[in-house]
Amino acid sequence: MNTISSRTTAPGMHTLRPHLHLDRLGSVIAGLMGLALFASPFVTYRANRIVSGEGRMLFDALPPAGALITIAVVLGVALCAVLAHRPLVRLAAASLGLCVIFPAVGFSAGFVTPAGNGFARVSPAIGFWLLALAFALLAADALTRLRLGPWGRLVALSIAAGALTLLLLSGAWGDLSLMKEYANRADSFWREARQHLWLAFGSMLAACLVGLPLGLASHRVPALRAALLQGLSIVQTIPSIALFGILIAPLGFLAANVPLAAALGIRGIGAAPAFIALFLYSLLPVVANTMAGLCQVPADVIEAARGMGMSRRQRLVQIELPLALPVILAGIRIVLVQNLGLATIAALIGGGGFGTFVFQGIGQTAIDLVLLGAIPTVALSFAAAIILDAVIDLTRRGAHDRD
Amino acid sequence: MSARAVILRVAALLLLVAFVTAPQLFAFAFAPLTANDAPAIYNQGSLLALTLSHVRIVVLATLASTVLAVTLGIFVTRPGGREFLPLSRSLVNIGQTFPPIAVLAIAVPLVGFGEKPTFIALFLYGLLPIFENTLAGLTDVSPRTLEAARGMGMNARQRLWQVELPLALPVILAGIRLSVIISLGTATIGSTVAAKGLGEVIIAGLQSNNVAFILQGGLVVALLAVLIHDGLGLAERATARRLGRPVDEIA
Amino acid sequence: MIEIEHLSKRFGESIVVDDVSFTVGEGEIAVVVGTSGAGKSTLLRMINRLVVPDAGRVLIDGQDTATIPEDELRHRIGYVIQGYGLFPHRTVAENIATVPRLLGWDRRRIAARVEELLDLFQLDPGEFAQKFPHQLSGGQQQRVGVARALAAKPALLLMDEPFGALDPVIRGKAQDDLLAIQRRLGTTIVLVTHDMNEAFHLGSRIAVMDQARLVQYAKPADLLTHPAEAFVEQLVGTAERPFRLLSLASVQDAMEPGSAEGDPITVSATLREALAQLIWRGRSALPVADAAGAPIGRISVDGILKHGRSLA
């Protein structure tokens, strides 16, 4: 016999060494902050709206005390980024940083602008944007690591939105060029905002009204499936201005020859082709995801429902649609984010929306005007993505509870 | 591929080539759309030259994005770069909520008008889908396959080049295809910042209220995009077929 | 010969392998069995250093594996895992050629070796060499997996649940094929399984592991007759014990002179098979024939029972 027994006492295999672990991502972020703080201008000063500007470093952009406080806070956050490991600490540090530099840049505008000068413009410069990027990266990383649930993410979004609203309402940014551009066209800003939302949400709703039944139909009729998906994916491939262009010709013809269409406000150029194009783009994600959602409902669940004597309609409403909901919503998320972005381009064909400011700004090389159009667009798509992701998580959770 | 599909593709390609090389042949079709004796065919430059420069900027930008995105994708999936993985995933998600036009518009004041801002926008925006798909492809390789590779004594580099990258290739190609399609569209908008491209035709039409220009510009861009999309899709399916997983027709 | 000396491994708080030592002789098959989570796979993976031991060492033919660069070591050790891990993007021939290519063999030598292995595993090179793994059945994939592991003529083959993904009928055949090939090549094998039948069928020695410890390492028959702990007894199955013993002995061991009526049983069959035949055909004795079919004696129910009692 050849038995070798073993012992349970193992030698001390692991000794705990005290060591300082430098966070690599944090070090990169801290490097970014250093670059922003000591090698880049914080704001740009221009004598008037059109001329090119000159950069002002942090020390020239703020009174000495303000500059010192800002530098101290940024260095503190950088230290946290490199040394702290707990995501909550890192998130708090990043938020503190953002809460300091955002008001600071507004304050700096007032400080840099000579008293009584109505033409001078002050804009955030590369240094500010780098700092904002660094803090945002730190916050995003911390939030990712925190693995917030859907409600947590919604709360985080509302806090961020609330803070931003507060900042804008407080007038702290009143002296910034961006807000001056806004003040000059406050009325048209809100008009274009409504138009933008109408284009994005209206076309999405229309796509849902048409796409859900289409998706259902092609789930039931396989013959329809291939043709429909292929056709829609070709549409999806066509670049937006090209599709606008292709639609302008027939719509113009319609407006010229059918009085009713003209009376309804359909014209070759304007919102109509943009709306229709956004609608067409939206169909593919809605149809494809409705189909995919219905396909992934487990066959045994449907079998069980049939066995219990549910009618076709009952199965659809009580079983299939609820189980397919998360996938369908994922399609709607794609549509919404895509439409909010694409609606910007509608301005090119006279369709209005935030793109109006972007294209005006490009025409006048006025970056602040571009930003006036671009920032709300980005903020809207960003918020829409977070909200819909959270909703998808919630419905998915519901679907699991039902399992 | 069925004979009908081949014929359709060849016909579409021939139509595109014919139109951009000899657009006057098609004047009869666009003439009814014009008013006040406006020209039916774009006459402020050669369509062929515009098409070529449109394709050129897309190809160059996509090449640059591919190199950087794949390199970054490899880096964050190696042990040394793992710390950057969670953040880079969220960044890609956030980045894709930016409309490409915003990137383009913001680049103009920084680098001026012309090809440069367009190239920057195409390059930056093109990174996202390629990076995302590189991550998906590399993290999707079955742990069993990697275990076998390690067990046979492949070192990290051999595993990457001989196992991980070939297996991730179809997914990376899908990302490149998506990126190219987005770039074709963004390059069209690039004409608003004076980049040479097919958007010029549409914009010229919008400015002079000439529907014929708008339509022909739209059709050429659309046909170009559909053909390129289709061609890249074929390449992708060919590599995927080798791995026994046919790619999703809609992807 | 492989000598495993005091190997230990701990992942965080839990000890996965605890001071395990045993020796596998040249050309032997050592089967490591135990419940899941007993540390079998980790033990195996420490042999080719996919897991680096916290303590202890492994000697192959007297050489400490820690002194060989890891990749070079793995080139010399065949490795087969459950699910095989075939490279989905490479053909059968390319899969088998993996290690020879890493070693820089010339093309002709690789081609010849691939063909030789395909023949050995009864896979027609003309038909299979250019196929991709997903075009193969489970049994064929398994054979390609083993062929790939043997490609560079390793002296040692490590197998982790190599038959786990096969259905019972194919599994039996695959085990027989492995035994035949192992006898022909004389490869030393360390195989991990949780299937006791497999262990008794293949093992020249069996290592029983429980909760990170090696409880017993012995020849199959010794494991049955002298279990070191209650755990071993439980694992081999008290009710199964006599039958397992009979399956380890051949007809030769209990053959009597004389003759009997009926179809003969071959002398190389196991006693378990012989007893099954006797019961099924309702006879108390059957003739025994040698490999050529010539009658050489008889085997009886009484003889088998007597032999069985003497073993216990």
Side-chain angles (χ1 to χ4, degrees):
Chain A
M1 209 157 116
N2 195 351
T3 309
I4 300 162
S5 288
S6 55
R7 302 292 40 86
T8 36
T9 46
M13 287 178 276
H14 274 288
T15 48
L16 278 172
R17 271 170 288 132
H19 60 289
L20 206 60
H21 174 76
L22 293 187
D23 190 273
R24 302 177 59 166
L25 175 69
S27 311
V28 172
I29 292 178
L32 215 54
M33 290 180 200
L35 198 69
L37 215 48
F38 301 113
S40 329
F42 188 65
V43 291
T44 308
Y45 174 81
R46 281 169 300 163
N48 62 50
R49 184 161 171 264
I50 309 298
V51 298
S52 62
E54 53 187 83
R56 293 281 169 88
M57 302 296 285
L58 193 61
F59 261 102
D60 303 323
L62 285 172
L68 279 177
I69 292 174
T70 309
I71 289 177
V73 168
V74 172
L75 289 180
V77 178
L79 211 62
C80 259
V82 176
L83 294 177
H85 299 300
R86 305 234 326 257
L88 262 181
V89 176
R90 292 161 73 93
L91 181 61
S95 313
L96 174 71
L98 288 169
C99 287
V100 167
I101 61 160
F102 270 79
V105 78
F107 187 70
S108 157
F111 177 73
V112 171
T113 310
N117 186 336
F119 298 108
R121 293 297 186 113
V122 179
S123 320
I126 185 80
F128 169 81
W129 293 118
L130 277 181
L131 280 179
L133 173 71
F135 294 145
L137 283 178
L138 190 59
D141 182 54
L143 284 169
T144 310
R145 279 169 211 261
L146 275 177
R147 293 168 187 274
L148 290 179
W151 290 113
R153 297 203 298 271
L154 288 177
V155 168
L157 177 67
S158 346
I159 293 176
L164 203 62
T165 315
L166 212 64
L167 177 76
L168 293 176
L169 288 181
S170 72
W173 271 20
D175 290 323
L176 274 180
S177 180
L178 178 68
M179 294 310 285
K180 286 186 175 167
E181 297 285 356
Y182 167 73
N184 287 342
R185 31 176 89 65
D187 288 344
S188 63
F189 180 85
W190 292 108
R191 193 176 62 236
E192 300 303 354
R194 274 196 302 279
Q195 176 74 359
H196 198 98
L197 291 176
W198 153 244
L199 279 175
F201 281 90
S203 57
M204 180 198 83
L205 281 179
C208 288
L209 285 180
V210 177
L212 287 172
L214 269 182
L216 193 62
S218 46
H219 175 61
R220 295 272 155 85
V221 188
L224 189 62
R225 197 175 302 173
L228 192 64
L229 288 183
Q230 210 157 28
L232 288 178
S233 90
I234 289 180
V235 171
Q236 188 86 357
T237 308
I238 301 175
S240 48
I241 318 190
L243 189 56
F244 292 169
I246 292 172
L247 288 170
I248 282 172
L251 285 173
F253 179 80
L254 209 63
N257 295 288
V258 183
L260 180 67
L264 284 174
I266 294 177
R267 282 174 302 132
I269 288 182
F275 188 93
I276 295 176
L278 292 185
F279 163 77
L280 289 176
Y281 282 135
S282 311
L283 275 181
L284 177 68
V286 174
V287 173
N289 280 42
T290 306
M291 242 172 52
L294 291 172
C295 284
Q296 51 97 55
V297 175
D300 52 355
V301 171
I302 296 175
E303 186 66 18
R306 277 164 62 123
M308 283 183 278
M310 282 191 177
S311 71
R312 227 178 131 131
R313 176 183 208 89
Q314 286 168 331
R315 288 202 305 272
L316 179 68
V317 174
Q318 297 182 25
I319 310 292
E320 295 180 84
L321 282 181
L323 285 175
L325 191 61
V327 184
I328 299 178
L329 282 175
I332 292 179
R333 176 216 195 262
I334 297 175
V335 166
L336 196 55
V337 171
Q338 171 183 292
N339 281 5
L340 283 166
L342 284 177
T344 329
I345 297 163
L348 206 58
I349 54 165
F354 284 127
T356 312
F357 306 121
V358 174
F359 288 111
Q360 274 176 16
I362 290 178
Q364 304 169 3
T365 11
I367 190 168
D368 296 298
L369 191 51
V370 168
L371 290 178
L372 186 65
I375 290 176
T377 311
V378 171
L380 276 176
S381 347
F382 186 52
I386 291 183
I387 293 173
L388 274 170
D389 278 341
V391 173
I392 291 168
D393 271 12
L394 287 172
T395 56
R396 200 161 267 156
R397 198 179 280 180
H400 275 289
D401 287 346
R402 243 168 266 141
D403 276 355
Chain B
M1 198 166 30
S2 70
R4 214 182 100 227
V6 175
I7 293 172
L8 213 63
R9 285 182 170 98
V10 172
L13 183 64
L14 287 178
L15 183 67
L16 179 65
V17 172
F19 189 80
V20 298
T21 48
Q24 290 305 333
L25 292 179
F26 298 81
F28 68 91
F30 291 97
L33 293 169
T34 58
N36 309 329
D37 285 335
I41 295 296
Y42 185 65
N43 57 357
Q44 298 162 25
S46 136
L47 275 181
L48 183 62
L50 288 180
T51 309
L52 290 180
S53 100
H54 197 105
V55 171
R56 193 180 62 105
I57 193 167
V58 170
V59 168
L60 289 180
T62 306
L63 278 181
S65 327
T66 304
V67 170
L68 184 62
V70 172
T71 313
L72 284 178
I74 291 172
F75 170 68
V76 298
T77 49
R78 301 303 103 184
R82 287 265 172 199
E83 279 181 41
F84 296 85
L85 184 58
L87 177 67
S88 40
R89 276 185 206 276
S90 348
L91 277 189
V92 169
N93 273 332
I94 297 170
Q96 280 171 340
T97 63
F98 276 63
I101 175 71
V103 185
L104 182 67
I106 293 169
V108 171
L110 299 178
V111 296
F113 281 87
E115 305 265 299
K116 265 197 218 156
T118 310
F119 183 86
I120 290 176
L122 297 194
F123 166 71
L124 284 181
Y125 207 79
L127 286 174
L128 299 173
I130 304 177
F131 181 68
E132 183 176 33
N133 280 35
T134 306
L135 280 189
L138 287 176
T139 50
D140 243 26
V141 175
S142 130
R144 205 161 264 166
T145 307
L146 285 179
E147 161 90 0
R150 228 154 71 82
M152 282 187 288
M154 286 188 172
N155 61 32
R157 175 187 299 196
Q158 288 164 334
R159 289 199 299 273
L160 176 66
W161 285 103
Q162 299 183 23
V163 180
E164 295 177 76
L165 280 179
L167 283 175
L169 189 62
V171 190
I172 298 177
L173 285 178
I176 294 178
R177 177 162 66 136
L178 191 55
S179 169
V180 166
I181 292 309
I182 296 174
S183 293
L184 277 168
T186 313
T188 319
I189 309 170
S191 303
T192 59
V193 299
K196 282 255 161 258
L198 288 164
E200 259 183 55
V201 183
I202 300 174
I203 301 215
L206 287 168
Q207 280 164 350
S208 60
N209 220 348
N210 183 338
V211 177
F213 284 8
I214 302 179
L215 184 63
Q216 63 198 259
L219 285 176
V220 172
V221 174
L223 209 51
L224 191 66
V226 170
L227 279 171
I228 291 179
H229 183 259
D230 190 56
L232 291 174
L234 287 180
E236 204 176 297
R237 254 163 279 164
T239 53
R241 203 170 298 128
R242 271 177 69 100
L243 311 182
R245 27 175 147 115
V247 285
D248 211 336
E249 294 286 323
I250 1 166
Chain C
M1 189 168 79
I2 334 172
E3 295 157 81
I4 291 168
E5 296 181 351
H6 306 289
L7 278 186
S8 292
K9 183 70 192 178
R10 166 200 288 271
F11 290 129
E13 286 302 296
S14 59
I15 301 173
V16 189
V17 172
D18 185 4
D19 194 21
V20 169
S21 306
F22 63 90
T23 301
V24 186
E26 194 77 47
E28 278 190 340
I29 302 184
V31 179
V32 184
V33 292
T35 48
S36 56
K40 309 183 297 273
S41 293
T42 308
L43 176 67
L44 194 76
R45 287 154 55 88
M46 283 195 283
I47 299 177
N48 63 0
R49 295 188 78 79
L50 280 173
V51 170
V52 178
D54 291 331
R57 57 179 194 163
V58 177
L59 305 180
I60 295 182
D61 295 331
Q63 189 182 13
D64 185 346
T65 54
T67 63
I68 310 171
E70 277 185 14
D71 290 335
E72 199 179 299
L73 173 73
R74 291 178 200 145
H75 294 157
R76 284 164 44 181
I77 301 179
Y79 185 47
V80 182
I81 55 177
Q82 185 175 11
Y84 330 120
L86 296 180
F87 297 143
H89 60 303
R90 290 188 168 177
T91 62
V92 166
E94 288 166 338
N95 260 291
I96 295 177
T98 305
V99 181
R101 264 201 215 163
L102 292 174
L103 292 172
W105 288 15
D106 70 54
R107 193 178 297 182
R108 200 173 305 161
R109 185 169 167 215
I110 293 178
R113 180 65 181 156
V114 168
E115 191 155 330
E116 183 185 346
L117 281 164
L118 283 172
D119 279 336
L120 185 64
F121 283 87
Q122 297 150 34
L123 295 165
D124 174 20
E127 186 187 346
F128 287 98
Q130 295 314 314
K131 281 197 173 176
F132 286 96
H134 69 267
Q135 298 169 310
L136 304 179
S137 72
Q140 290 162 347
Q141 289 184 11
Q142 198 268 345
R143 279 182 272 166
V144 174
V146 182
R148 182 174 71 171
L150 291 173
K153 305 187 178 172
L156 169 62
L157 184 60
L158 304 179
M159 308 179 95
D160 192 349
E161 301 273 7
F163 308 108
L166 299 179
D167 68 57
V169 178
I170 300 177
R171 189 185 305 167
K173 163 93 169 75
Q175 290 166 348
D176 289 337
D177 289 348
L178 178 71
L179 271 181
I181 288 167
Q182 189 267 346
R183 277 183 196 135
R184 194 147 130 202
L185 305 178
T187 315
T188 308
I189 297 179
V190 180
L191 184 147
V192 161
T193 181
H194 62 265
D195 176 350
M196 287 309 291
N197 286 328
E198 188 167 296
F200 279 98
H201 183 39
L202 299 175
S204 14
R205 282 170 192 274
I206 297 177
V208 181
M209 285 189 71
D210 180 33
Q211 292 169 13
R213 293 180 311 128
L214 179 63
V215 179
Q216 186 168 14
Y217 180 59
K219 289 185 172 156
D222 291 338
L223 214 60
L224 292 166
T225 50
H226 303 287
E229 286 184 14
F231 175 77
V232 178
E233 222 168 314
Q234 192 192 336
L235 197 69
V236 298
T238 329
E240 285 285 307
R241 208 150 50 170
F243 301 107
R244 288 202 200 283
L245 274 171
L246 289 181
S247 68
L248 290 171
S250 75
V251 166
Q252 177 104 55
D253 302 328
M255 195 171 69
E256 307 156 16
S259 66
E261 288 292 305
D263 286 341
I265 287 179
T266 57
V267 68
S268 62
T270 69
L271 282 180
R272 186 178 182 152
E273 285 161 353
L275 183 61
Q277 289 288 331
L278 287 163
I279 294 171
W280 194 244
R281 296 203 219 152
R283 295 188 178 274
S284 56
L286 280 171
V288 175
D290 63 13
I296 50 172
R298 51 175 262 155
I299 184 90
S300 67
V301 174
D302 286 344
I304 293 176
L305 292 184
K306 215 166 86 191
H307 184 78
R309 285 192 204 104
S310 77
L311 290 173

